[in-house]
Amino acid sequence: MDYFDQIAAGVRPPPPLSTQTNAARPISEKELDLSYALAKKLPDMVQRGFTIETAYGEIVIEPGHHADAIAAAVRRVLEVQLKAAALTRRDAAPDGESA
């Protein structure tokens, strides 16, 4: 059971943000969500396929070439979002301190 599984199972809650010093500041909830998506959801998309839900219905993507290609695009988007969230957290740190 890894860190994300422990949080999902309620075994290990994420530490509260307000009680941490800046040097030991955990990643933001957004960073945690994005990291979870990269670590767990993307591999699952490739292995088992996935469904895209729209207002007009669902699109089922079976495992294989198309799932791999879409998952690769999603990975790039999530990595960019994760980097942006990390930069936002860093920039929010008081002057002279790094997150």
Side-chain angles (χ1 to χ4, degrees):
M1 183 178 283
D2 68 11
Y3 181 76
F4 294 115
D5 291 331
Q6 291 173 359
I7 291 173
V11 175
R12 178 195 297 202
L17 295 175
S18 61
T19 62
Q20 301 295 316
T21 64
N22 201 33
R25 181 182 291 170
I27 63 174
S28 68
E29 188 171 333
K30 182 173 185 173
E31 289 173 280
L32 187 62
D33 291 344
L34 292 166
S35 296
Y36 181 83
L38 285 163
K40 296 291 186 174
K41 293 179 181 179
L42 268 170
D44 191 52
M45 287 172 66
V46 172
Q47 290 175 351
R48 299 191 316 169
F50 52 93
T51 302
I52 300 171
E53 218 173 286
T54 75
Y56 296 99
E58 298 178 343
I59 301 169
V60 176
I61 307 295
E62 298 293 335
H65 176 73
H66 292 102
D68 294 348
I70 294 170
V74 170
R75 176 179 302 281
R76 287 188 297 274
V77 170
L78 292 174
E79 287 171 345
V80 168
Q81 290 177 341
L82 181 59
K83 182 67 174 177
L87 290 174
T88 298
R89 181 175 48 92
R90 183 201 69 188
D91 293 345
D95 288 339
E97 298 180 25
S98 64

